[in-house]
Amino acid sequence: MRKKIENYLDIIGINKVAEIYKNAQKLQGIHILHINSTAQGGGVAEMLSSFVPLMNDVGVHTGWRVLHGTPDFFTITKKFHNALQGDTINLTEMKKSIYRQTNENFAVFTHIDHDYVIIHDPQPLPLINFYSKQQPWLLRFHIEFSKPNDLLWEYFKRFIIRYNMLIVSNENYLKKDLPIEQKVMLPAIDPLSPKNINLPYSTIKKVIKKFKIKTDKPIITQISRFDKWKDPAGVIKIFKKVREKIDCRLILCGSMATDDPEGILIYERLVKQEKKLLENGDIIFLTAENNILVNILQNVSDVIIQKSIREGFGLTVTEALWKEKPVVASNIGGIPLQIKDGKNGFLLDPMDYSGFADRIIEILRHPDLGKELGKNGKSIVRENFLITRLLNDYIKTLFLVRE
Ligand code: UDP
Protein backbone atom coordinates (compact mmCIF):
# COMPACT_ATOMS: atom_id res chain seq x y z
CA MET A 1 0.00 0.00 0.00
CA ARG A 2 1.35 3.44 -0.94
CA LYS A 3 2.25 5.64 1.99
CA LYS A 4 -0.02 8.65 2.28
CA ILE A 5 0.04 11.46 4.78
CA GLU A 6 -3.75 11.41 5.10
CA ASN A 7 -3.49 7.97 6.70
CA TYR A 8 -1.89 9.65 9.74
CA LEU A 9 -4.94 11.79 10.47
CA ASP A 10 -6.22 9.56 13.26
CA ILE A 11 -2.82 9.47 14.95
CA ILE A 12 -1.68 13.11 14.87
CA GLY A 13 -4.92 14.99 14.22
CA ILE A 14 -6.14 17.20 11.39
CA ASN A 15 -4.21 20.34 12.40
CA LYS A 16 -0.81 18.71 12.18
CA VAL A 17 -1.61 17.09 8.83
CA ALA A 18 -2.82 20.45 7.48
CA GLU A 19 0.40 22.09 8.68
CA ILE A 20 2.47 19.57 6.72
CA TYR A 21 0.47 20.20 3.53
CA LYS A 22 0.81 23.93 4.02
CA ASN A 23 4.58 23.87 4.59
CA ALA A 24 5.13 21.43 1.73
CA GLN A 25 3.49 23.92 -0.64
CA LYS A 26 6.59 26.05 -0.30
CA LEU A 27 8.71 23.26 -1.81
CA GLN A 28 6.46 22.26 -4.71
CA GLY A 29 8.41 21.40 -7.84
CA ILE A 30 11.62 20.97 -5.83
CA HIS A 31 13.72 17.84 -6.37
CA ILE A 32 15.66 16.41 -3.44
CA LEU A 33 18.17 13.57 -3.28
CA HIS A 34 19.09 11.54 -0.20
CA ILE A 35 22.23 9.40 -0.24
CA ASN A 36 23.21 6.88 2.42
CA SER A 37 25.13 3.62 2.40
CA THR A 38 22.63 0.83 3.03
CA ALA A 39 19.10 0.09 1.90
CA GLN A 40 18.36 -2.01 4.95
CA GLY A 41 19.61 -2.58 8.49
CA GLY A 42 19.98 0.18 11.04
CA GLY A 43 18.10 3.33 11.82
CA VAL A 44 18.95 5.44 8.77
CA ALA A 45 17.52 2.99 6.24
CA GLU A 46 14.56 2.54 8.55
CA MET A 47 13.75 6.25 8.55
CA LEU A 48 14.39 6.82 4.84
CA SER A 49 12.10 3.99 3.81
CA SER A 50 9.14 5.79 5.40
CA PHE A 51 10.28 9.35 4.99
CA VAL A 52 11.03 9.31 1.25
CA PRO A 53 7.59 8.02 0.10
CA LEU A 54 5.83 10.48 2.42
CA MET A 55 7.78 13.44 1.05
CA ASN A 56 6.69 12.41 -2.44
CA ASP A 57 3.12 12.08 -1.25
CA VAL A 58 3.07 15.72 -0.14
CA GLY A 59 4.43 16.79 -3.52
CA VAL A 60 8.12 17.23 -2.74
CA HIS A 61 9.95 15.05 -5.29
CA THR A 62 12.42 13.08 -3.24
CA GLY A 63 14.84 10.37 -4.39
CA TRP A 64 17.10 8.01 -2.48
CA ARG A 65 20.33 6.45 -3.70
CA VAL A 66 22.63 4.04 -1.93
CA LEU A 67 26.41 4.38 -2.16
CA HIS A 68 28.06 1.25 -3.60
CA GLY A 69 31.05 0.09 -1.61
CA THR A 70 33.37 -2.90 -1.42
CA PRO A 71 33.91 -4.94 1.78
CA ASP A 72 37.22 -3.06 2.22
CA PHE A 73 35.42 0.24 2.05
CA PHE A 74 32.85 -0.77 4.66
CA THR A 75 35.54 -2.16 6.97
CA ILE A 76 37.24 1.24 6.83
CA THR A 77 34.05 3.24 7.27
CA LYS A 78 33.09 1.09 10.28
CA LYS A 79 36.49 2.00 11.78
CA PHE A 80 35.69 5.65 11.07
CA HIS A 81 32.28 5.18 12.67
CA ASN A 82 33.91 3.67 15.77
CA ALA A 83 36.47 6.50 15.93
CA LEU A 84 33.74 9.13 15.69
CA GLN A 85 32.24 7.44 18.74
CA GLY A 86 35.56 7.78 20.54
CA ASP A 87 37.77 4.81 19.52
CA THR A 88 41.36 5.34 18.45
CA ILE A 89 42.21 4.83 14.80
CA ASN A 90 45.27 4.31 12.67
CA LEU A 91 44.37 6.82 9.98
CA THR A 92 46.61 5.63 7.15
CA GLU A 93 46.92 7.09 3.66
CA MET A 94 45.60 3.75 2.34
CA LYS A 95 42.39 4.07 4.36
CA LYS A 96 41.88 7.66 3.24
CA SER A 97 42.54 6.75 -0.36
CA ILE A 98 40.04 3.84 -0.46
CA TYR A 99 37.48 6.05 1.27
CA ARG A 100 37.85 8.89 -1.26
CA GLN A 101 38.24 6.62 -4.28
CA THR A 102 35.02 4.71 -3.57
CA ASN A 103 33.14 7.98 -3.38
CA GLU A 104 34.78 9.26 -6.56
CA ASN A 105 33.87 6.07 -8.44
CA PHE A 106 30.25 6.36 -7.30
CA ALA A 107 30.13 10.00 -8.39
CA VAL A 108 31.08 9.03 -11.95
CA PHE A 109 27.79 7.21 -12.51
CA THR A 110 25.59 9.11 -10.07
CA HIS A 111 24.39 12.17 -11.87
CA ILE A 112 23.05 14.87 -9.61
CA ASP A 113 20.95 17.73 -10.90
CA HIS A 114 18.65 17.98 -7.88
CA ASP A 115 17.77 21.14 -5.98
CA TYR A 116 19.10 19.75 -2.70
CA VAL A 117 21.39 16.90 -1.73
CA ILE A 118 21.19 15.32 1.73
CA ILE A 119 24.06 13.04 2.71
CA HIS A 120 23.57 10.63 5.60
CA ASP A 121 26.50 9.65 7.84
CA PRO A 122 30.22 9.47 7.05
CA GLN A 123 30.29 6.84 4.30
CA PRO A 124 29.21 9.19 1.45
CA LEU A 125 30.65 12.33 3.11
CA PRO A 126 33.47 12.91 0.54
CA LEU A 127 31.05 12.77 -2.41
CA ILE A 128 30.73 16.54 -2.27
CA ASN A 129 34.34 16.84 -3.48
CA PHE A 130 33.53 15.19 -6.79
CA TYR A 131 30.80 17.49 -8.05
CA SER A 132 30.75 21.08 -9.12
CA LYS A 133 28.33 22.07 -6.40
CA GLN A 134 25.25 23.75 -7.84
CA GLN A 135 22.77 23.35 -5.00
CA PRO A 136 22.70 23.24 -1.19
CA TRP A 137 24.23 20.09 0.30
CA LEU A 138 23.18 19.10 3.80
CA LEU A 139 25.01 16.58 5.93
CA ARG A 140 22.97 14.48 8.35
CA PHE A 141 25.04 12.64 11.00
CA HIS A 142 22.96 10.10 12.89
CA ILE A 143 25.73 8.78 15.09
CA GLU A 144 26.91 9.74 18.54
CA PHE A 145 29.93 11.98 18.11
CA SER A 146 30.16 14.10 21.22
CA LYS A 147 33.86 13.23 21.60
CA PRO A 148 35.20 12.11 18.22
CA ASN A 149 38.79 11.03 17.72
CA ASP A 150 40.72 14.28 17.07
CA LEU A 151 42.70 13.08 14.08
CA LEU A 152 39.65 11.79 12.26
CA TRP A 153 37.61 14.86 13.12
CA GLU A 154 40.30 17.13 11.59
CA TYR A 155 40.26 14.98 8.45
CA PHE A 156 36.45 15.01 8.24
CA LYS A 157 36.21 18.74 8.79
CA ARG A 158 37.87 19.36 5.44
CA PHE A 159 34.91 17.70 3.74
CA ILE A 160 32.25 19.02 6.10
CA ILE A 161 33.05 22.72 5.58
CA ARG A 162 31.88 22.39 1.97
CA TYR A 163 28.34 21.61 3.18
CA ASN A 164 25.66 24.22 3.81
CA MET A 165 24.55 22.65 7.05
CA LEU A 166 25.28 19.83 9.47
CA ILE A 167 22.24 18.22 11.10
CA VAL A 168 22.73 16.16 14.27
CA SER A 169 20.47 14.24 16.67
CA ASN A 170 21.43 15.87 19.96
CA GLU A 171 22.60 19.27 21.21
CA ASN A 172 25.66 17.60 22.71
CA TYR A 173 26.89 16.77 19.21
CA LEU A 174 27.00 20.40 18.01
CA LYS A 175 30.60 21.41 17.32
CA LYS A 176 32.15 24.73 18.34
CA ASP A 177 35.11 24.23 16.01
CA LEU A 178 33.00 23.84 12.87
CA PRO A 179 32.39 27.08 10.98
CA ILE A 180 29.19 26.04 9.20
CA GLU A 181 25.54 26.19 10.20
CA GLN A 182 24.45 23.36 12.50
CA LYS A 183 21.04 22.18 13.56
CA VAL A 184 19.55 19.56 15.86
CA MET A 185 16.83 17.37 14.38
CA LEU A 186 15.38 14.55 16.43
CA PRO A 187 14.84 11.23 14.67
CA ALA A 188 11.42 9.59 14.44
CA ILE A 189 9.53 6.37 13.78
CA ASP A 190 6.70 5.60 11.42
CA PRO A 191 3.66 4.42 13.42
CA LEU A 192 2.15 2.90 10.27
CA SER A 193 5.18 0.91 9.12
CA PRO A 194 5.04 -2.90 9.44
CA LYS A 195 7.44 -2.51 12.35
CA ASN A 196 5.13 -0.34 14.40
CA ILE A 197 1.59 -1.01 13.29
CA ASN A 198 -0.86 -2.94 15.47
CA LEU A 199 -0.89 -6.56 14.36
CA PRO A 200 -3.73 -9.05 14.68
CA TYR A 201 -3.26 -11.79 17.26
CA SER A 202 -3.37 -14.45 14.52
CA THR A 203 -0.25 -12.97 12.86
CA ILE A 204 1.57 -12.72 16.18
CA LYS A 205 0.79 -16.36 16.92
CA LYS A 206 1.97 -17.51 13.49
CA VAL A 207 5.25 -15.60 13.62
CA ILE A 208 6.26 -16.62 17.14
CA LYS A 209 5.60 -20.22 16.17
CA LYS A 210 7.68 -19.87 13.00
CA PHE A 211 10.64 -18.43 14.92
CA LYS A 212 10.19 -20.92 17.80
CA ILE A 213 9.69 -18.21 20.41
CA LYS A 214 8.17 -19.66 23.56
CA THR A 215 6.11 -17.33 25.76
CA ASP A 216 5.95 -19.62 28.81
CA LYS A 217 8.45 -17.48 30.75
CA PRO A 218 8.93 -13.69 30.91
CA ILE A 219 10.87 -12.37 27.92
CA ILE A 220 13.60 -9.73 28.00
CA THR A 221 14.62 -8.46 24.56
CA GLN A 222 17.24 -6.25 22.98
CA ILE A 223 16.74 -5.42 19.31
CA SER A 224 20.07 -4.20 17.95
CA ARG A 225 22.73 -4.94 15.41
CA PHE A 226 25.49 -7.16 16.84
CA ASP A 227 27.75 -4.19 17.43
CA LYS A 228 30.16 -3.67 20.33
CA TRP A 229 28.51 -0.30 21.07
CA LYS A 230 25.18 -2.07 21.58
CA ASP A 231 27.00 -4.36 24.03
CA PRO A 232 25.20 -7.68 23.46
CA ALA A 233 27.73 -9.37 25.78
CA GLY A 234 26.73 -6.94 28.53
CA VAL A 235 23.07 -7.74 27.96
CA ILE A 236 23.80 -11.44 28.47
CA LYS A 237 25.65 -10.66 31.70
CA ILE A 238 22.62 -8.76 32.99
CA PHE A 239 20.27 -11.54 31.90
CA LYS A 240 22.30 -14.05 33.91
CA LYS A 241 21.93 -11.84 37.00
CA VAL A 242 18.17 -11.55 36.50
CA ARG A 243 17.87 -15.30 36.08
CA GLU A 244 19.37 -15.86 39.51
CA LYS A 245 16.10 -14.36 40.85
CA ILE A 246 13.47 -14.94 38.14
CA ASP A 247 13.28 -17.64 35.49
CA CYS A 248 13.08 -15.89 32.12
CA ARG A 249 14.31 -15.87 28.55
CA LEU A 250 16.51 -13.45 26.64
CA ILE A 251 16.09 -12.59 22.98
CA LEU A 252 18.80 -10.76 21.07
CA CYS A 253 17.57 -9.79 17.64
CA GLY A 254 20.12 -8.25 15.32
CA SER A 255 19.96 -8.31 11.57
CA MET A 256 23.16 -7.75 9.61
CA ALA A 257 23.48 -4.35 7.91
CA THR A 258 25.52 -4.40 4.70
CA ASP A 259 27.56 -1.41 5.87
CA ASP A 260 28.48 -3.08 9.19
CA PRO A 261 30.97 -5.92 8.59
CA GLU A 262 31.70 -6.40 12.32
CA GLY A 263 28.25 -7.85 13.07
CA ILE A 264 28.91 -11.40 11.97
CA LEU A 265 32.17 -11.64 13.97
CA ILE A 266 30.54 -10.49 17.19
CA TYR A 267 27.58 -12.81 16.58
CA GLU A 268 29.81 -15.85 16.01
CA ARG A 269 31.86 -15.12 19.13
CA LEU A 270 28.72 -14.97 21.28
CA VAL A 271 27.29 -18.15 19.74
CA LYS A 272 30.44 -20.01 20.77
CA GLN A 273 30.46 -18.45 24.23
CA GLU A 274 26.80 -19.08 25.07
CA LYS A 275 26.43 -22.52 23.46
CA LYS A 276 24.61 -24.07 26.42
CA LEU A 277 21.99 -21.37 27.00
CA LEU A 278 21.35 -21.16 23.26
CA GLU A 279 20.84 -24.92 23.04
CA ASN A 280 18.31 -25.03 25.84
CA GLY A 281 16.44 -22.04 24.37
CA ASP A 282 16.87 -19.69 27.33
CA ILE A 283 18.76 -17.33 25.07
CA ILE A 284 17.51 -16.89 21.52
CA PHE A 285 19.54 -15.12 18.82
CA LEU A 286 17.68 -13.94 15.72
CA THR A 287 19.38 -12.46 12.69
CA ALA A 288 16.56 -12.26 10.15
CA GLU A 289 15.89 -8.89 8.57
CA ASN A 290 12.19 -8.87 9.31
CA ASN A 291 10.16 -5.85 10.40
CA ILE A 292 7.10 -7.83 11.44
CA LEU A 293 9.32 -10.00 13.61
CA VAL A 294 10.78 -6.91 15.33
CA ASN A 295 7.26 -5.58 15.88
CA ILE A 296 6.14 -8.85 17.43
CA LEU A 297 9.21 -9.22 19.62
CA GLN A 298 8.69 -5.74 21.00
CA ASN A 299 5.06 -6.67 21.62
CA VAL A 300 5.51 -10.01 23.34
CA SER A 301 8.43 -8.95 25.52
CA ASP A 302 7.91 -8.12 29.18
CA VAL A 303 10.90 -5.77 29.28
CA ILE A 304 12.93 -4.17 26.52
CA ILE A 305 16.56 -3.55 27.32
CA GLN A 306 18.87 -1.15 25.48
CA LYS A 307 22.30 -1.55 27.02
CA SER A 308 24.20 0.62 24.54
CA ILE A 309 27.58 2.14 25.35
CA ARG A 310 27.10 4.71 22.57
CA GLU A 311 23.80 5.53 20.90
CA GLY A 312 23.19 8.34 18.40
CA PHE A 313 19.49 8.33 19.22
CA GLY A 314 18.18 4.77 19.57
CA LEU A 315 15.15 4.18 17.38
CA THR A 316 14.71 0.79 19.01
CA VAL A 317 13.86 2.61 22.23
CA THR A 318 11.29 4.78 20.42
CA GLU A 319 9.73 1.71 18.82
CA ALA A 320 9.39 -0.05 22.16
CA LEU A 321 7.93 3.02 23.88
CA TRP A 322 5.37 3.31 21.08
CA LYS A 323 4.28 -0.24 21.90
CA GLU A 324 3.80 0.71 25.55
CA LYS A 325 6.67 -1.42 26.76
CA PRO A 326 8.78 -0.71 29.82
CA VAL A 327 12.34 0.04 28.67
CA VAL A 328 15.44 -0.27 30.83
CA ALA A 329 18.26 1.53 29.05
CA SER A 330 21.64 3.22 29.30
CA ASN A 331 21.65 6.88 30.18
CA ILE A 332 23.73 7.89 27.17
CA GLY A 333 23.45 9.51 23.72
CA GLY A 334 19.89 10.02 22.52
CA ILE A 335 18.26 7.70 25.06
CA PRO A 336 17.65 10.31 27.83
CA LEU A 337 15.89 12.47 25.23
CA GLN A 338 13.27 9.72 25.11
CA ILE A 339 13.20 8.26 28.61
CA LYS A 340 12.62 10.20 31.79
CA ASP A 341 13.86 7.96 34.58
CA GLY A 342 10.98 6.44 36.53
CA LYS A 343 8.32 8.03 34.31
CA ASN A 344 8.43 6.03 31.10
CA GLY A 345 11.29 3.65 31.75
CA PHE A 346 14.52 3.42 33.71
CA LEU A 347 17.91 4.95 32.91
CA LEU A 348 21.17 3.50 34.17
CA ASP A 349 24.88 3.94 33.84
CA PRO A 350 25.90 1.50 31.08
CA MET A 351 28.40 -0.16 33.42
CA ASP A 352 25.89 -0.66 36.24
CA TYR A 353 25.05 -4.31 35.53
CA SER A 354 23.43 -4.86 38.92
CA GLY A 355 21.33 -1.72 38.51
CA PHE A 356 20.05 -2.98 35.15
CA ALA A 357 19.25 -6.38 36.64
CA ASP A 358 17.46 -4.85 39.68
CA ARG A 359 15.24 -2.65 37.52
CA ILE A 360 14.33 -5.53 35.23
CA ILE A 361 13.48 -7.71 38.24
CA GLU A 362 11.37 -4.89 39.68
CA ILE A 363 9.33 -4.66 36.47
CA LEU A 364 8.95 -8.43 36.16
CA ARG A 365 7.74 -8.62 39.76
CA HIS A 366 5.32 -5.69 39.39
CA PRO A 367 3.50 -5.90 36.05
CA ASP A 368 1.43 -2.80 36.94
CA LEU A 369 4.62 -0.77 37.10
CA GLY A 370 5.53 -1.97 33.59
CA LYS A 371 2.08 -0.99 32.31
CA GLU A 372 2.28 2.47 33.83
CA LEU A 373 5.76 3.14 32.38
CA GLY A 374 4.60 1.85 29.00
CA LYS A 375 1.55 4.07 28.84
CA ASN A 376 3.63 7.18 29.57
CA GLY A 377 6.11 6.12 26.90
CA LYS A 378 3.55 6.04 24.13
CA SER A 379 2.36 9.58 24.72
CA ILE A 380 5.94 10.91 24.73
CA VAL A 381 6.52 9.31 21.34
CA ARG A 382 3.20 10.59 19.95
CA GLU A 383 4.16 14.14 20.91
CA ASN A 384 7.77 14.14 19.84
CA PHE A 385 9.06 11.26 17.77
CA LEU A 386 6.71 10.45 14.91
CA ILE A 387 7.76 10.60 11.26
CA THR A 388 5.19 13.31 10.53
CA ARG A 389 7.11 15.71 12.80
CA LEU A 390 10.34 14.81 11.03
CA LEU A 391 8.71 15.55 7.68
CA ASN A 392 7.74 18.99 8.87
CA ASP A 393 11.23 19.62 10.30
CA TYR A 394 12.91 18.75 7.00
CA ILE A 395 10.50 20.80 4.93
CA LYS A 396 11.03 23.85 7.15
CA THR A 397 14.81 23.39 7.21
CA LEU A 398 15.11 23.00 3.44
CA PHE A 399 13.02 26.07 2.93
CA LEU A 400 15.29 28.06 5.23
CA VAL A 401 18.46 26.87 3.51
CA ARG A 402 17.00 27.97 0.20
CA GLU A 403 16.28 31.51 1.32
N1 UDP B 1 16.50 -3.33 13.46
C1 UDP B 1 15.82 -4.29 12.73
N2 UDP B 1 16.16 -5.58 12.91
C2 UDP B 1 17.12 -5.96 13.76
C3 UDP B 1 17.82 -4.97 14.51
C4 UDP B 1 17.48 -3.65 14.34
O1 UDP B 1 14.93 -3.98 11.96
O2 UDP B 1 17.36 -7.15 13.87
C5 UDP B 1 16.08 -1.93 13.30
C6 UDP B 1 15.45 -1.39 14.56
O3 UDP B 1 14.13 -1.84 14.69
C7 UDP B 1 15.60 0.11 14.34
C8 UDP B 1 16.93 0.19 13.60
O4 UDP B 1 17.17 -1.08 13.03
O5 UDP B 1 14.57 0.60 13.53
C9 UDP B 1 18.06 0.52 14.54
O6 UDP B 1 18.10 1.89 14.79
P1 UDP B 1 18.83 2.49 16.05
O7 UDP B 1 18.69 3.97 15.97
O8 UDP B 1 18.29 1.85 17.28
O9 UDP B 1 20.34 2.02 15.93
P2 UDP B 1 21.41 1.99 14.72
O10 UDP B 1 21.41 0.59 14.21
O11 UDP B 1 20.99 2.99 13.69
O12 UDP B 1 22.70 2.31 15.41
Side-chain angles (χ1 to χ4, degrees):
M1 198 179 65
R2 233 188 83 193
K3 282 191 185 293
K4 286 188 172 163
I5 201 75
E6 65 185 37
N7 296 338
Y8 295 76
L9 265 171
D10 290 344
I11 303 171
I12 58 169
I14 195 160
N15 291 344
K16 283 191 178 156
V17 171
E19 191 191 341
I20 294 172
Y21 280 132
K22 188 172 153 213
N23 288 334
Q25 281 293 331
K26 298 178 192 159
L27 291 179
Q28 296 301 303
I30 290 293
H31 200 184
I32 299 166
L33 178 64
H34 289 262
I35 303 179
N36 80 322
S37 67
T38 180
Q40 59 180 38
V44 182
E46 177 69 24
M47 261 186 289
L48 286 174
S49 56
S50 288
F51 176 80
V52 170
L54 283 174
M55 281 291 255
N56 284 288
D57 181 59
V58 294
V60 186
H61 302 301
T62 305
W64 172 13
R65 297 200 192 144
V66 175
L67 175 75
H68 302 201
T70 57
D72 274 353
F73 172 77
F74 287 123
T75 303
I76 291 165
T77 54
K78 185 70 205 275
K79 289 199 164 101
F80 287 177
H81 175 113
N82 291 344
L84 274 186
Q85 303 206 137
D87 261 8
T88 54
I89 185 165
N90 183 10
L91 191 58
T92 59
E93 285 310 313
M94 174 73 95
K95 286 194 184 92
K96 290 193 223 171
S97 149
I98 292 174
Y99 181 51
R100 284 173 55 97
Q101 194 61 53
T102 304
N103 274 275
E104 188 169 6
N105 294 348
F106 182 70
V108 170
F109 59 82
T110 306
H111 306 137
I112 296 182
D113 56 5
H114 300 69
D115 300 298
Y116 293 93
V117 182
I118 303 175
I119 296 291
H120 294 263
D121 280 345
Q123 296 89 339
L125 164 65
L127 266 185
I128 196 164
N129 279 30
F130 306 112
Y131 292 91
S132 56
K133 185 169 171 270
Q134 285 156 354
Q135 62 284 87
W137 282 57
L138 282 70
L139 178 62
R140 175 56 169 118
F141 266 8
H142 297 263
I143 44 188
E144 208 274 63
F145 68 116
S146 47
K147 289 189 195 94
N149 172 277
D150 289 340
L151 210 60
L152 185 69
W153 181 237
E154 287 307 313
Y155 174 61
F156 272 2
K157 273 201 308 199
R158 287 185 225 163
F159 299 112
I160 297 178
I161 51 173
R162 292 176 181 240
Y163 284 80
N164 294 70
M165 183 186 277
L166 170 67
I167 303 173
V168 298
S169 300
N170 192 321
E171 269 184 25
N172 301 336
Y173 311 160
L174 295 170
K175 291 279 166 280
K176 285 206 176 73
D177 63 347
L178 191 65
I180 67 163
E181 198 173 340
Q182 296 171 62
K183 188 177 167 61
V184 177
M185 204 184 278
L186 297 169
I189 59 160
D190 180 356
L192 296 183
S193 71
K195 186 172 283 175
N196 295 310
I197 203 155
N198 271 335
L199 291 168
Y201 181 64
S202 56
T203 310
I204 297 180
K205 225 168 102 183
K206 214 161 69 192
V207 174
I208 59 175
K209 192 166 165 211
K210 181 174 164 203
F211 285 93
K212 299 191 177 77
I213 296 157
K214 288 196 204 134
T215 50
D216 55 336
K217 300 179 193 176
I219 299 176
I220 303 164
T221 299
Q222 176 162 294
I223 314 273
S224 276
R225 291 176 294 105
F226 285 87
D227 177 352
K228 67 173 179 179
W229 304 108
K230 311 284 183 186
D231 197 12
V235 176
I236 294 172
K237 235 178 180 171
I238 291 165
F239 166 69
K240 288 178 180 166
K241 280 183 183 290
V242 175
R243 249 175 43 120
E244 287 167 13
K245 301 276 167 57
I246 297 181
D247 194 15
C248 54
R249 289 185 207 284
L250 173 69
I251 301 179
L252 289 180
C253 176
S255 60
M256 301 292 161
T258 46
D259 62 352
D260 181 1
E262 286 177 345
I264 188 73
L265 305 175
I266 293 175
Y267 171 80
E268 282 169 355
R269 196 183 314 137
L270 289 174
V271 166
K272 236 188 242 163
Q273 219 169 280
E274 302 302 334
K275 208 162 167 252
K276 224 166 124 198
L277 283 168
L278 283 163
E279 270 168 13
N280 75 14
D282 280 350
I283 297 185
I284 301 171
F285 284 175
L286 298 165
T287 56
E289 175 72 39
N290 184 329
N291 287 328
I292 303 270
L293 173 66
V294 170
N295 186 339
I296 288 171
L297 291 176
Q298 286 164 339
N299 259 297
V300 301
S301 298
D302 296 272
V303 181
I304 297 289
I305 177 167
Q306 192 62 50
K307 160 75 182 66
S308 307
I309 297 167
R310 299 275 193 281
E311 193 61 78
F313 182 71
L315 284 178
T316 48
V317 170
T318 334
E319 291 158 4
L321 294 176
W322 182 245
K323 297 178 185 88
E324 302 194 18
K325 286 293 153 180
V327 182
V328 181
S330 300
N331 190 10
I332 50 107
I335 296 175
L337 299 176
Q338 307 182 59
I339 295 183
K340 300 296 158 228
D341 189 39
K343 179 166 188 237
N344 64 327
F346 289 119
L347 291 173
L348 290 135
D349 182 294
M351 292 305 131
D352 184 4
Y353 296 91
S354 304
F356 264 91
D358 289 347
R359 288 308 198 182
I360 292 172
I361 292 166
E362 194 180 339
I363 293 171
L364 293 181
R365 286 198 175 137
H366 304 98
D368 283 352
L369 170 66
K371 276 196 191 125
E372 171 76 21
L373 297 170
K375 216 176 263 156
N376 293 338
K378 183 156 191 165
S379 57
I380 287 182
V381 175
R382 190 191 300 278
E383 278 309 303
N384 303 289
F385 305 121
L386 294 185
I387 195 90
T388 37
R389 192 227 72 231
L390 187 65
L391 214 64
N392 228 342
D393 282 359
Y394 261 111
I395 292 169
K396 286 195 273 192
T397 303
L398 293 176
F399 190 69
L400 278 180
V401 172
R402 200 173 169 215
E403 275 180 330

